[in-house]
Amino acid sequence: ADQVILQTKATTFIQKLLKMQAVTDDEDLAYQDLDFSTSASRKTSVIGSAARPTWMKNLEANVKQWLGIIPQEDIPVLKRTVENIKDPLYRFFEREVTIGRNLLKT
């Protein structure tokens, strides 16, 4: 009984993995009835192909959009005064601005 449960979990995992690597968005994939025997003839693998899955293409578009939002110019340093240093909110923002400046430099 435990082996049947493990085999079902493994089959489900492999189906999800293959679906994630699939190039097309078809819901009825050819991987529904998987045959794990070594003698089974399999179709060409999408792993070795030059095409990228749709989720990768979408991710690339999102990353390009996010990179376009990042400011290109340098963020000005906050001015320190005796009054500002006493303010915890100022210290918080100064710390955040410093971290942001350092991240944009990399």
Side-chain angles (χ1 to χ4, degrees), residues 46-99:
V46 294
I47 297 171
S49 68
R52 292 181 300 164
T54 305
W55 66 268
M56 272 189 187
K57 294 176 185 175
N58 292 340
L59 180 63
E60 179 185 21
N62 287 339
V63 167
K64 286 181 180 180
Q65 181 182 6
W66 296 334
L67 288 175
I69 295 172
I70 294 176
Q72 300 300 320
E73 65 278 351
D74 201 22
I75 297 175
V77 179
L78 298 177
K79 296 180 182 179
R80 282 186 163 193
T81 63
V82 176
E83 294 175 16
N84 286 347
I85 293 175
K86 294 178 184 177
D87 186 10
L89 191 57
Y90 171 81
R91 292 193 307 263
F92 165 77
F93 279 120
E94 183 185 36
R95 201 169 34 245
E96 293 297 315
V97 167
T98 305
I99 291 171

Side-chain angles (χ1 to χ4, degrees), residues 31-49:
Y31 307 116
Q32 293 300 326
D33 295 320
L34 293 175
D35 186 6
F36 293 108
S37 64
T38 57
S39 64
S41 63
R42 296 185 183 195
K43 296 182 179 180
T44 59
S45 174
V46 294
I47 297 171
S49 68

